[in-house]
Amino acid sequence: MELLSSAHVRVLLFFSLLIFTAAAGAAAAAGGGGGSGGGRWDLLQSSIGVSAMHMQLLHNDRVVVFDSTTLGPSNLSLPGGACRRYPNEPALKVDCTAHSAEYDVTTNSFRPLTVLTDTLCSSGSVAPDGTLVQTGGSNDGDRNARTFRPCSNSATCGWSEASNVLAVSRWYATNQILPDGRAIVIGGRGQFNYEFYPKTNAADTATIPLPFLSQTSDPEENNLYPFVHLNIDGNLFIFANNRAILLDYKKNAVVRTYPKMPGGDPRNYPSTGSSVLLPLKPSPTEAEVLVCGGAPAGSYLQVSQHGTFVRALETCGRIKITDEAPTWAMEIMPMPRVMGDMVLLPTGDEVLIINGAGMGAAAWEMGQNPVLMPLLYRPRALSGSRFVVQSQGTIPRLYHSTAVLLRDGRVLVGGSNPHNRYVFSNVEYPTELSLEAFSPEYLNPAFAASRPSIISPLLLISYGKQFPLRFRIGSLANTVSVTMASPAFATHSLSMNQRLLILGTTEPVAVGRTAGVYEVVATAPVTATLAPPGYYMVFVVNNGIPSEGIWIQIQ
Ligand SMILES: *[C@@H]1O[C@H](CO)[C@@H](O)[C@H](O)[C@H]1NC(C)=O
């Protein structure tokens, strides 16, 4: 029986591969989108006027984009004829252009937003009510916090700024949303400590020391934008440079020290690799982290002092962070990559590795050999066959590029500005103002009959409670799952707060007499430790083909 079914699976796989190849060939012949490997590329906007250094999808299907006020004029005017006047501004003392924009996924349109202090290399998370909470930056904005509350009548919502509300300057810090709904803001240049935001009271100006960050700082730093993941035990996994700790942030105690990653090369800014918490199973008892790419020690200094571009790292390390004495399992990507972005796909079984360079480091003018081919990493496949090369894109996405999952299953790709201004000519890699969508192979129209379509409205769900999901489908497989993905804050190759949970579900049951309508009952994560409160995208996945997601709010 077991043998028979696995043989069946192989035959099915073989035929779906044939259909796949045929469909991809047909799409390429029809001239739609780019590429003939897995997935396709589409140019959404040739310019939104602002380079997407930071991106955050909100639950109105709009993406807040921003870079920095120190880059000189952007290609988008501030609304209402506003200008920013700042006498100490290094680039432009009066700037009437926007450095933030809102991209509307549904209508494929954008509008300028007003941010008047510097958000360069900052961090953020989404509060339980769906408000983007962004912290820090540089220059006049390094201790500021800014909020953006999404609204349906988009003309009426915008950024709101609070000055000097952080205890210290937070430039290149990492934020993680906590089970209590606050964000913890960790590190930043010269800051070997953490704090929380919002403050529980105005007098809370404390920073809590984190010596791990000074211990992992080297002559290139290599510990900025630490990789932070909320573990299922409520502690924080924090990776900086080439190693990690498990931090009980409530007691400020290091509860576990993970071994140094084999090879010892740095993975954090400016030797920027990327990292994800791998998808969590229903009622998880274990959690794993994957760290991929980066740059060998010395890469940054090699470029800055000698103009030598060093080949990026081609290794990934994977570790079971819940183990008492875990070890790193190393894997080799098909090509080296620094400044890649990692996106958890809604199938619950795929990590997209996209953007970045084959040589150099993360800083102005320091990347070369753009890597145009994304990779899929399939965490449950056999070791040695986990990477699948995807269709090649056409636009280099180097330093200051980003990628975020959209509710419809596409990945929005933007940014790339390796210059300290907007530069469009006489450079190898001009400032990119375009937005593209990468559509993973599951969006191939050949799978239309297998794609579930959820017919439930936006839901409010409670921890540990069951909730029904009704969906329509042409051809139901016997493996239906429900996944739940957080909208992440993407910048500098790190998607902060990125989390994907596979939920416990019942078998689908046909509903009423309408053919092709089914219902599954899913169980919400039991605690806010597994899924901090807020908005998530929920998908029904039929044999590897996800539905378009719906927004749910968990509380
Ligand atoms: C941005 O504006 C500059 C100056 O007007 C122009 O030269 C350039 O082509 C524009 N770039 C894009 C991508 O729209």
Side-chain angles (χ1 to χ4, degrees):
M1 190 63 201
E2 198 59 41
L3 279 174
L4 193 69
S5 65
S6 69
H8 258 113
V9 167
R10 271 201 297 275
V11 170
L12 282 175
L13 277 176
F14 176 69
F15 279 109
S16 45
L17 204 69
L18 280 183
I19 293 168
F20 234 44
T21 318
S36 60
R40 64 177 265 165
W41 289 89
D42 290 288
L43 182 66
L44 301 174
Q45 291 287 343
S46 57
S47 169
I48 60 163
V50 172
S51 195
M53 181 188 295
H54 311 77
M55 287 209 285
Q56 173 70 60
L57 171 69
L58 297 174
H59 69 275
N60 57 0
D61 291 322
R62 297 192 179 115
V63 179
V64 176
V65 171
F66 58 96
D67 59 3
S68 159
T69 50
T70 56
L71 298 169
S74 74
N75 280 43
L76 189 65
S77 294
L78 277 169
C83 297
R84 165 186 146 89
R85 289 164 212 282
Y86 180 54
N88 299 328
E89 175 61 70
L92 198 62
K93 304 207 185 306
V94 180
D95 185 355
C96 306
T97 67
H99 281 280
S100 179
E102 183 190 58
Y103 173 71
D104 185 337
V105 178
T106 314
T107 59
N108 187 23
S109 60
F110 59 93
R111 66 179 177 112
L113 298 174
T114 307
V115 174
L116 295 176
T117 62
D118 193 17
T119 50
L120 179 66
C121 307
S122 59
S123 49
S125 54
V126 182
D129 72 352
T131 300
L132 165 58
V133 179
Q134 179 278 354
T135 52
S138 187
N139 299 300
D140 61 343
D142 66 340
R143 287 181 54 214
N144 292 3
R146 306 162 189 85
T147 52
F148 186 96
R149 181 192 282 268
C151 54
S152 47
N153 175 7
S154 97
T156 60
C157 51
W159 283 102
S160 149
E161 300 197 43
S163 291
N164 298 325
V165 289
L166 297 178
V168 292
S169 165
R170 297 289 176 189
W171 194 26
Y172 300 92
T174 299
N175 292 17
Q176 169 68 52
I177 183 86
L178 297 173
D180 67 9
R182 288 179 305 163
I184 185 169
V185 187
I186 301 178
R189 184 159 266 168
Q191 299 297 346
F192 309 125
N193 55 55
Y194 58 91
E195 64 182 291
F196 300 91
Y197 192 82
K199 305 291 173 190
T200 33
N201 62 69
D204 179 6
T205 55
T207 62
I208 300 140
L210 187 57
F212 172 69
L213 291 178
S214 50
Q215 291 154 8
T216 49
S217 181
D218 66 21
E220 299 177 309
E221 294 184 301
N222 285 334
N223 67 339
L224 297 178
Y225 279 125
F227 304 146
V228 178
H229 303 293
L230 174 63
N231 192 9
I232 58 172
D233 64 4
N235 294 315
L236 295 174
F237 174 88
I238 305 176
F239 185 103
N241 198 323
N242 55 15
R243 59 199 179 90
I245 54 167
L246 191 63
L247 178 75
D248 178 342
Y249 61 87
K250 291 176 188 160
K251 297 191 185 132
N252 190 23
V254 174
V255 293
R256 188 170 298 146
T257 300
Y258 296 93
K260 190 183 276 191
M261 196 189 283
D265 284 311
R267 308 279 176 167
N268 297 82
Y269 183 90
S271 294
T272 302
S274 188
S275 172
V276 288
L277 177 72
L278 289 174
L280 297 172
K281 298 197 183 98
S283 313
T285 52
E286 53 182 47
E288 288 183 276
V289 164
L290 182 69
V291 174
C292 286
S299 297
Y300 172 87
L301 292 175
Q302 280 294 323
V303 188
S304 53
Q305 295 176 358
H306 309 290
T308 305
F309 291 80
V310 176
R311 187 176 193 265
L313 298 174
E314 60 193 349
T315 49
C316 296
R318 177 169 167 173
I319 195 164
K320 204 168 279 184
I321 64 171
T322 39
D323 269 9
E324 291 290 332
T327 53
W328 290 98
M330 301 305 290
E331 302 185 63
I332 299 180
M333 297 187 281
M335 72 281 277
R337 193 180 306 246
V338 60
M339 297 180 278
D341 289 279
M342 289 165 87
V343 180
L344 298 170
L345 298 182
T347 54
D349 199 17
E350 292 163 321
V351 183
L352 182 71
I353 306 174
I354 193 166
N355 299 338
M359 295 171 103
W364 308 123
E365 316 294 343
M366 283 199 187
Q368 265 187 4
N369 286 21
V371 185
L372 297 171
M373 270 172 295
L375 288 178
L376 273 190
Y377 175 83
R378 299 174 304 164
R380 286 191 292 228
L382 286 177
S383 172
S385 59
R386 294 193 179 132
F387 294 102
V388 186
V389 177
Q390 303 293 291
S391 314
Q392 185 165 328
T394 53
I395 302 177
R397 301 282 180 185
L398 301 170
Y399 189 41
H400 291 146
S401 59
T402 43
V404 293
L405 175 68
L406 299 177
R407 186 173 60 82
D408 59 21
R410 293 178 300 167
V411 174
L412 182 67
V413 179
S416 189
N417 186 7
H419 317 291
N420 63 2
R421 296 286 183 273
Y422 277 36
V423 182
F424 301 104
S425 51
N426 302 321
V427 288
E428 201 168 4
Y429 306 114
T431 302
E432 264 308 325
L433 307 180
S434 64
L435 289 181
E436 290 173 286
F438 177 76
S439 297
E441 197 56 50
Y442 54 65
L443 287 171
N444 191 320
F447 301 124
S450 304
R451 189 177 325 285
S453 164
I454 300 178
I455 40 181
S456 314
L458 183 143
L459 294 169
L460 190 60
I461 62 175
S462 303
Y463 287 107
K465 293 281 165 32
Q466 294 194 315
F467 62 100
L469 280 170
R470 216 166 257 205
F471 60 95
R472 197 173 285 119
I473 192 160
S475 146
L476 187 72
N478 49 14
T479 53
V480 170
S481 58
V482 173
T483 60
M484 174 173 151
S486 64
F489 181 95
T491 192
H492 289 77
S493 302
L494 179 61
S495 277
M496 302 176 194
N497 310 296
Q498 182 167 221
R499 210 167 182 80
L500 193 137
L501 297 98
I502 302 166
L503 304 185
T505 47
T506 58
E507 291 289 318
V509 176
V511 177
R513 266 168 288 177
T514 322
V517 177
Y518 297 86
E519 187 173 284
V520 282
V521 178
T523 304
V526 175
T527 62
T529 302
L530 292 179
Y535 286 86
Y536 290 79
M537 297 169 270
V538 165
F539 303 85
V540 172
V541 185
N542 177 45
N543 199 21
I545 308 297
S547 66
E548 186 163 287
I550 55 165
W551 286 106
I552 61 107
Q553 188 183 19
I554 188 164
Q555 61 177 34

